[in-house]
Amino acid sequence: MNATAYETIQYEIEKEAGIVLGYHLTLEDLQSELAAYLNKLIMRDFEKLIYILYRVDVSESKIKQLLQPSSNNDAGELMAKAIIERQLQKAESRKIFTKQNDVAEEEKW
């Protein structure tokens, strides 16, 4: 994935989550900044965290699965990965949908 794709993913996350992250981030930096932000929300504004997960369209079952009590991983980091993964899925779907709709007018029904 190129830098432009990362910027698009970052833009979509910022737009849907209503947050502003750093500029020209690598994927790792994006994930790290997002994880730190999500960890703050876990401690200070859980309602906003739930709203962001809803807006970004990360399923509740996915989050429950990631945050199993047996997991010793950082919750913010796990959710950041899930958000980025979901944004990548949406970008791929848009690309496929755009290609499918890229048919000459005379060939359309």
Side-chain angles (χ1 to χ4, degrees), residues 11-30:
Y11 170 76
E12 291 294 324
I13 290 170
E14 290 177 337
K15 181 179 79 173
E16 291 181 6
I19 61 175
V20 177
L21 301 169
Y23 296 100
H24 305 293
L25 299 174
T26 64
L27 184 60
E28 294 80 21
D29 291 340
L30 173 62

Side-chain angles (χ1 to χ4, degrees), residues 1-9 25 27:
M1 182 180 304
N2 60 29
T4 305
Y6 293 143
E7 291 171 0
T8 302
I9 299 288
L25 299 174
L27 184 60

